[in-house]
Amino acid sequence: MAAGWNLSEGSYDPRRILTEEDLNDIFSVLFSNQSKNTTSYKFGFLKAILDNLYNVDINLSLSFTSIFAKFAESYWNLVLVHKLKQCRGASQGKIYDILHEEWNNLPENNGRVENTNVIPFESLSAESQVKIISNVTKECSKYVVGATYADSKGNFYSFSKKSKTITFNPVVYQYLLRHKTMIEKVNYFEWAKFLHEVNESSGNDYLESLDYSTKRNNLDSYRKILFEEFEHRCFYCGAPLKDDRNTHVDHFIPWSFVKDDKLWNFVLACSKCNESKNNKLPPREKIDLIVNRNRILLDRRASDSLIDSNVYTDETIPYLYKVAAINGFNEVWLGK
Ligand SMILES: [Zn+2]
């Protein structure tokens, strides 16, 4: 068992000064053999942290629930949809059991598992999602959170199983922002290597499965709100839009950078603009427009859970725009 797995809480020392080398070490240790690896959960945990980097509150805290919601969604896709084993040896591991049990219990499956097409995580009922996330949180807060803390020599974050949160060491948080894309790539690479070792099938595109494991297809709920609240025009070119599938829901800051679906980052766009913009940053002069748009949205829909009013501020989009650019997303789309 990895060191630290049974800790119930831990704190980083705010007085300890971390050099750039110390910061590099936190992550090189996580990826090295010093950190014991019988499952892929450590990689999944780091991915869930990176995917949640912009969901921290003012104290740089993240709830276990937001971390393990992302984790559960990734594993649902990797384990059930792509059938990728995440564990060494004969066992499939506890996360597999949790996901499988819920899948078997769905009324439409009637206990038949093997040959059914697995629906995406986002299409499960809210009740099923909550149950899975809660069981995954129990399992991982027991074995993963303390172990990763110990691997980082207590420098990465403070955590408490009682309050079910982690709080980033601010120096490490800044480091993660500066190097997000690079750390994400190394994490995928090491995870893919692990999958290659424990899965017999060859020819799998592990990297792509990992990268897209939280990509959603169905953005209808976001489209619906934006349609209800705003003029039916393309955010970028102003073309009139109809309430149908030709109207795209565009990630203002590209999905491939944020890896998250947030209402405040969505705009309605015509298919031409959306496809032509693709992975690029939007024109800088659109930033003020979306910030103003989001003020209206927050005002009208303050209680809507899709809004994230506890973490979103006027600074969020300009800040993400800047951070995306230093992470290599520096190509700006200039129009269709
Ligand atoms: Zn357009």
Side-chain angles (χ1 to χ4, degrees), residues 54-63 165-167 173 310-311:
Y54 313 112
N55 295 330
V56 294
D57 66 13
I58 193 152
N59 304 312
L60 302 184
S61 295
L62 269 179
S63 69
T165 51
I166 71 166
T167 303
Y173 185 74
N310 55 335
V311 293

Side-chain angles (χ1 to χ4, degrees), residues 103-114:
W103 172 244
N104 285 350
N105 285 341
L106 295 180
E108 61 269 35
N109 292 334
N110 247 333
R112 290 176 296 118
V113 191
E114 298 312 333

Side-chain angles (χ1 to χ4, degrees), residues 44 59 77 142 144 156 168 173 202 207 239 261 275 321 329:
N59 304 312
N77 286 314
K142 189 163 174 195
V144 185
F156 198 159
F168 287 103
Y173 185 74
S202 58
L207 289 173
D261 299 312
E275 279 155 17
Y321 196 94
F329 286 77

Side-chain angles (χ1 to χ4, degrees), residues 234 236-239 269-270 273 336:
C234 173
Y236 300 108
C237 73
C270 69
C273 283
K336 65 184 175 188

Side-chain angles (χ1 to χ4, degrees), residues 110-166:
N110 247 333
R112 290 176 296 118
V113 191
E114 298 312 333
N115 45 21
T116 345
N117 280 331
V118 180
I119 56 171
F121 189 78
E122 79 219 36
S123 308
L124 290 170
S125 70
E127 193 193 353
S128 286
Q129 292 190 22
V130 167
K131 196 169 149 205
I132 291 172
I133 293 166
S134 144
N135 287 332
V136 167
T137 303
K138 262 185 227 151
E139 179 65 15
C140 291
S141 56
K142 189 163 174 195
Y143 293 108
V144 185
V145 180
T148 305
Y149 169 83
D151 278 346
S152 80
K153 300 197 181 78
N155 288 325
F156 198 159
Y157 47 69
S158 298
F159 74 98
S160 157
K161 287 183 192 170
K162 205 166 153 202
S163 69
K164 296 187 176 14
T165 51
I166 71 166

Side-chain angles (χ1 to χ4, degrees), residues 55-305:
N55 295 330
V56 294
D57 66 13
I58 193 152
N59 304 312
L60 302 184
S61 295
L62 269 179
S63 69
F64 283 4
T65 307
S66 34
I67 297 173
F68 293 112
K70 278 283 189 187
F71 184 101
E73 190 173 359
S74 283
Y75 276 73
W76 180 270
N77 286 314
L78 296 169
V79 170
L80 296 187
V81 179
H82 295 292
K83 316 257 183 273
L84 291 171
K85 201 163 177 289
Q86 302 290 332
C87 194
R88 283 189 208 283
S91 148
Q92 285 275 9
K94 189 69 202 248
I95 298 296
Y96 175 96
D97 295 341
I98 292 169
L99 300 172
H100 233 239
E101 191 193 332
E102 191 57 27
W103 172 244
N104 285 350
N105 285 341
L106 295 180
E108 61 269 35
N109 292 334
N110 247 333
R112 290 176 296 118
V113 191
E114 298 312 333
N115 45 21
T116 345
N117 280 331
V118 180
I119 56 171
F121 189 78
E122 79 219 36
S123 308
L124 290 170
S125 70
E127 193 193 353
S128 286
Q129 292 190 22
V130 167
K131 196 169 149 205
I132 291 172
I133 293 166
S134 144
N135 287 332
V136 167
T137 303
K138 262 185 227 151
E139 179 65 15
C140 291
S141 56
K142 189 163 174 195
Y143 293 108
V144 185
V145 180
T148 305
Y149 169 83
D151 278 346
S152 80
K153 300 197 181 78
N155 288 325
F156 198 159
Y157 47 69
S158 298
F159 74 98
S160 157
K161 287 183 192 170
K162 205 166 153 202
S163 69
K164 296 187 176 14
T165 51
I166 71 166
T167 303
F168 287 103
N169 182 341
V171 188
V172 180
Y173 185 74
Q174 290 301 326
Y175 179 88
L176 281 174
L177 289 179
R178 290 197 303 277
H179 301 290
K180 177 175 188 268
T181 301
M182 186 202 59
I183 294 169
E184 182 176 77
K185 281 184 177 153
V186 178
N187 192 41
Y188 287 163
F189 177 76
E190 294 296 330
W191 193 349
K193 238 169 50 182
F194 179 86
L195 293 180
H196 185 72
E197 282 166 36
V198 301
N199 286 277
E200 281 161 16
S201 61
S202 58
N204 250 311
D205 195 344
Y206 296 128
L207 289 173
E208 188 160 310
S209 305
L210 294 171
D211 197 23
Y212 284 90
S213 61
T214 52
K215 176 101 177 152
R216 295 181 190 171
N217 293 318
N218 191 340
L219 301 174
D220 285 349
S221 47
Y222 304 98
R223 183 191 290 111
K224 189 167 163 277
I225 294 183
L226 294 177
F227 242 97
E228 280 168 12
E229 296 294 350
F230 297 101
E231 229 192 335
H232 303 165
R233 291 189 175 278
C234 173
F235 183 81
Y236 300 108
C237 73
L241 298 171
K242 290 198 192 112
D243 190 1
D244 63 22
R245 288 296 174 106
N246 291 324
T247 293
H248 289 212
V249 194
D250 178 67
H251 292 84
F252 185 77
I253 307 287
W255 179 87
S256 45
F257 180 66
V258 282
K259 298 281 160 62
D260 204 357
D261 299 312
K262 293 293 179 196
L263 187 56
W264 46 258
N265 192 38
F266 280 122
V267 295
L268 296 174
C270 69
S271 55
K272 277 187 186 156
C273 283
N274 180 247
E275 279 155 17
S276 150
K277 175 172 170 277
N278 193 13
N279 251 343
K280 302 184 193 82
L281 285 178
R284 193 176 286 276
E285 63 269 19
K286 296 284 182 192
I287 295 177
D288 284 347
L289 270 182
I290 193 172
V291 171
N292 287 331
R293 194 282 314 257
N294 284 340
R295 280 189 197 147
I296 300 172
L297 202 52
L298 270 166
D299 215 38
R300 292 190 193 155
R301 297 272 190 146
S303 59
D304 197 310
S305 65

